[in-house]
């Protein structure tokens, strides 16, 4: 069942749908899934590469499905929340992430590329290299803020850190990435 | 948002996901999760609550004391216990905002489609109207086809001239705590709204507060309502005085603690199915 077949449901907010999903309404959760799977998958592919990305996406939505009763009903969209979940799930894939960063940094393609979609590294290698140099904590903060369009406080909440810590990490991450990008400019 | 953020979003943007991949990820995500969810003892009650409860814009709603499933579908006709449904004529949903009407119509059609308890909005009876200054509240009730008593509430922000919340559900919890249902809605501007249905045996309802006191709720037409303007004051439970002289003590503690644990700065009220304590008779 897809969102396109459920016109009345498709008009509902994520909060409303997740409220129903928390009571077991799978169709409602499917609408949320269809709305956001592409962006979460793009995020995961950018961070860990195509192979591990789909596992992360499925795990992330599994976590979301189990915990949708905790979704803040005042939020306009579930996207930041899903980014937060995906970021936490990704913490268990640090090895994959590091491997992917190293492969891309060294131009190694011994790992089979499974689709024709361009990866973040192909789209912007300098940026990905710069982000890949960050510590996981700084990387999480930077990507979550940029992709989830979260405020500093929301980012902190998603990562389980204080807003002040999130702000410090964000400033540091931006400074390091800008510095790295400057150095790679011809 | 900085230029760097824009660049990150371009690189890490959405991946086009073809249908096969989409279905594969969905199957991997939801099938195992469903097995985990189905082990919850609250799963069945929450499923029955699902379509009955609507949330709009700001606000969360929770029905306290969801009882064991056997009690819910045992054929008790809860609506018969509310004289408002037997002795007054339906007023429909005409007095509600357009948003609330469309929400209730949508909820009803979805509930009918899904086979859940619901009330045709045209068959709703007026329970209470309450004007609290900036906010005003309308409570309507009706009987579902399977005899459940249902309560729908609209909260309007009269200063901003818009509906702030419209929602409700069919009360499956009478059998569990005996005589009342309870819903809470809370946010930083509104404070906390406690509403519910009370059957004909109930004489008075007091809401126990985090301040250690209990405040009497406004009652009428088998409904009750208490608006707490101070957002820092939390609800802790109900003291339900029955006409036969007994008082039921119904705990609501779990919901707020759980909600706060999930969202340390949550401005909301209870979450679904968090009220777990049975009613204690105190005298």
């Amino acid at each position: 069942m897809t969102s396109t077949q459920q016109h009345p449901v498709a008009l509902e907010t994520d909060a409303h749908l997740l409220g129903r999903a928390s009571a077991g309404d799978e169709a409602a959760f499917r609408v949320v899934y269809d709305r956001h799977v592409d962006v979460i998958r793009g995020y995961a592919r950018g961070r860990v590469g195509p192979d591990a990305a789909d596992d992360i996406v499925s795990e992330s939505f599994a976590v979301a499905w189990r915990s949708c009763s905790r979704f803040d009903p005042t939020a306009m969209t579930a996207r930041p929340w899903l980014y937060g979940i995906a970021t936490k799930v990704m913490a268990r894939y640090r090895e994959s992430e590091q491997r992917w960063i190293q492969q891309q940094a060294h131009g190694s393609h011994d790992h089979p590329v499974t689709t024709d979609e361009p990866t973040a590294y192909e789209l912007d290698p300098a940026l990905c290299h710069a982000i890949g140099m960050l510590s996981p904590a700084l990387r999480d903060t930077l990507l979550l803020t940029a992709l989830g369009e979260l405020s500093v406080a929301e980012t902190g909440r998603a990562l389980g850190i204080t807003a002040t810590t999130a702000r410090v990490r964000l400033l540091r991450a931006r400074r390091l990435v800008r510095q790295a990008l400057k150095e790679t400019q011809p | 948002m900085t230029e760097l953020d824009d660049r990150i979003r371009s690189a890490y943007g959405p991946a086009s996901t073809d249908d096969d991949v989409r279905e594969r990820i969905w199957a991997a995500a939801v099938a195992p999760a469903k097995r985990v969810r189905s082990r919850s003892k609250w799963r069945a009650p929450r499923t029955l609550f699902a379509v009955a409860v609507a949330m709009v814009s700001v606000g969360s709603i929770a029905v306290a004391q969801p009882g064991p499933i056997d009690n819910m579908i045992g054929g008790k006709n809860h609506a018969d216990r509310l004289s408002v449904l037997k002795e007054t004529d339906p007023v429909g949903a005409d007095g509600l905002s357009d948003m609330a009407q469309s929400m209730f119509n949508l909820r009803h059609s979805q509930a009918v489609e899904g086979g859940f308890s619901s009330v045709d909005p045209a068959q709703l009876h007026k329970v209470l109207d309450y004007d609290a200054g900036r906010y005003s509240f309308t409570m309507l009730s009706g009987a579902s086809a399977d005899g459940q008593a249902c309560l729908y509430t609209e909260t309007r922000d009269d200063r901003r001239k818009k509906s702030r919340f419209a929602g409700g559900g069919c009360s499956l919890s009478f059998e569990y705590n005996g005589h009342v249902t309870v819903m809470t809605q809370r946010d930083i501007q509104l404070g906390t709204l406690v509403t519910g249905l009370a059957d004909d045996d109930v004489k008075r309802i007091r809401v126990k507060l985090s301040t250690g006191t209990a405040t009497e709720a406004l009652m009428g037409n088998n409904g009750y309502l208490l608006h707490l303007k101070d957002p820092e004051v939390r609800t802790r439970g109900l003291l339900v005085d029955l006409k036969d002289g007994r008082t039921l003590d119904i705990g609501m503690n779990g919901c707020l603690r759980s909600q706060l644990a999930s969202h340390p700065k949550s401005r909301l009220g209870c979450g679904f199915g968090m009220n777990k304590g049975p009613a204690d008779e105190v005298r």
Side-chain angles (χ1 to χ4, degrees):
Chain A
M1 189 183 300
T2 67
S3 59
T4 53
Q5 294 167 324
Q6 296 232 336
H7 299 298
V9 175
L11 298 173
E12 294 181 59
T13 63
D14 287 346
H16 193 176
L17 290 163
L18 288 169
R20 290 170 47 201
S22 69
D25 187 337
E26 190 180 313
F29 187 71
R30 176 65 199 231
V31 177
V32 176
Y33 170 83
D34 281 331
R35 280 180 188 169
H36 301 294
V37 65
D38 286 355
V39 292
I40 300 301
R41 190 159 171 263
Y43 173 48
R45 282 170 57 86
R47 289 197 62 167
V48 299
D51 281 354
D54 289 356
D55 290 340
I56 288 170
V57 176
S58 63
E59 272 194 52
S60 301
F61 278 98
V63 171
W65 169 241
R66 284 198 300 268
S67 57
C68 47
S69 62
R70 294 205 293 269
F71 178 69
D72 180 353
T74 61
M76 293 295 290
T77 166
R79 190 163 296 178
W81 179 65
L82 292 168
Y83 271 125
I85 291 173
T87 302
K88 285 179 184 166
V89 169
M90 233 171 277
R92 297 203 303 272
Y93 287 79
R94 290 291 182 217
E95 280 185 18
S96 301
E97 187 176 17
Q98 280 309 316
R99 205 163 44 239
W100 173 247
I101 289 168
Q102 282 166 13
Q103 281 171 355
Q104 297 302 314
H106 296 102
S108 164
H109 291 287
D110 54 355
H111 123 118
V113 175
T114 52
T115 75
D116 294 331
E117 296 169 48
T119 66
Y121 276 90
E122 288 162 340
L123 291 169
D124 198 336
L127 175 71
C128 291
H129 179 70
I131 290 174
M133 300 294 284
L134 298 173
S135 69
L138 295 185
R139 195 157 54 229
D140 285 348
T141 309
L142 178 66
L143 291 176
L144 204 51
T145 308
L147 295 170
E149 300 187 34
L150 303 184
S151 68
V152 170
E154 288 167 332
T155 301
R157 212 173 305 152
L159 294 173
I161 56 179
T162 66
T164 307
T165 306
R167 187 185 307 279
V168 170
R169 285 185 188 174
L170 182 62
L171 290 173
R172 192 153 168 239
R174 281 179 175 157
R175 181 168 51 78
L176 289 170
V177 169
R178 286 197 183 106
Q179 200 175 317
L181 288 172
K182 218 174 198 176
E183 286 169 8
T184 58
Q185 273 179 350
Chain B
M1 215 40 78
T2 66
E3 194 181 313
L4 178 60
D5 288 353
D6 288 337
R7 192 167 164 183
I8 290 170
R9 281 200 297 277
S10 298
Y12 290 79
S16 63
T17 309
D18 63 43
D19 287 346
D20 285 348
V21 175
R22 186 177 285 254
E23 293 306 322
R24 185 164 46 78
I25 296 173
W26 170 254
V30 174
K34 274 166 74 177
R35 285 197 291 273
V36 172
R37 283 167 67 97
S38 66
R39 283 199 288 269
S40 163
K41 67 176 178 176
W42 297 104
R43 164 79 170 157
R46 287 170 67 181
T47 302
L48 280 175
F49 266 116
V51 186
V53 180
M55 286 184 287
V56 173
S57 177
V58 178
S60 105
I61 187 166
V63 180
Q65 316 287 9
I69 187 70
D70 292 343
N71 286 342
M72 294 178 176
I73 56 176
K76 299 277 187 178
N77 191 329
H78 300 137
D80 269 356
R81 295 159 59 171
L82 305 180
S83 56
V84 66
L85 302 183
K86 293 181 284 188
E87 296 169 7
T88 66
D89 294 326
V91 296
D94 289 346
L96 302 180
S97 69
D98 291 345
M99 187 280 287
Q101 287 187 42
S102 59
M103 171 56 63
F104 290 152
N105 285 326
L106 175 66
R107 303 306 304 157
H108 178 60
S109 59
Q110 289 176 343
V112 169
E113 206 172 284
F116 292 93
S117 301
S118 181
V119 180
D120 181 344
Q123 296 303 314
L124 289 169
H125 298 246
K126 178 63 68 69
V127 175
L128 281 175
D129 271 327
Y130 182 67
D131 186 345
R134 174 175 175 177
Y135 298 102
S136 58
F137 312 100
T138 296
M139 293 167 61
L140 300 164
S141 180
S144 65
D146 59 349
Q148 299 294 335
C150 310
L151 174 65
Y152 299 92
T153 303
E154 180 179 21
T155 298
R156 289 177 297 276
D157 184 337
D158 293 333
R159 189 188 300 169
R160 300 174 71 183
K161 299 195 185 314
K162 68 174 195 178
S163 185
R164 189 174 180 84
F165 170 90
C170 294
S171 309
L172 300 167
S173 53
F174 275 111
E175 286 309 306
Y176 190 57
N177 64 40
H179 299 274
V180 296
T181 67
V182 58
M183 306 179 186
T184 63
Q185 176 196 351
R186 178 169 178 264
D187 71 41
I188 198 75
Q189 291 177 328
L190 171 73
T192 300
L193 178 68
V194 184
T195 57
L197 290 171
D199 72 10
D200 292 344
D201 296 334
V202 176
K203 186 172 70 177
R204 181 173 71 147
I205 292 176
R206 288 164 291 162
V207 180
K208 294 194 292 182
L209 306 175
S210 55
T211 55
T213 59
T215 301
E216 187 168 347
L218 174 69
M219 275 195 76
N221 291 329
N222 293 117
Y224 67 93
L225 176 152
L226 179 66
H227 179 216
L228 301 162
K229 292 183 180 175
D230 184 348
E232 296 306 315
V233 176
R234 310 299 169 85
T235 52
R236 290 287 182 259
L238 300 179
L239 291 171
V240 180
D241 295 335
L242 302 179
K243 287 176 181 169
D244 65 7
R246 288 181 299 144
T247 297
L248 302 179
D249 187 346
I250 299 171
M252 293 167 59
N253 290 341
C255 70
L256 291 176
R257 279 208 294 271
S258 299
Q259 187 80 19
L260 290 170
S262 307
H263 301 288
K265 293 182 182 176
S266 172
R267 294 174 299 174
L268 303 173
C270 305
F272 290 100
M274 296 296 187
N275 294 289
K276 295 177 181 174
D280 295 324
E281 193 174 323
V282 293
R283 68 172 179 268

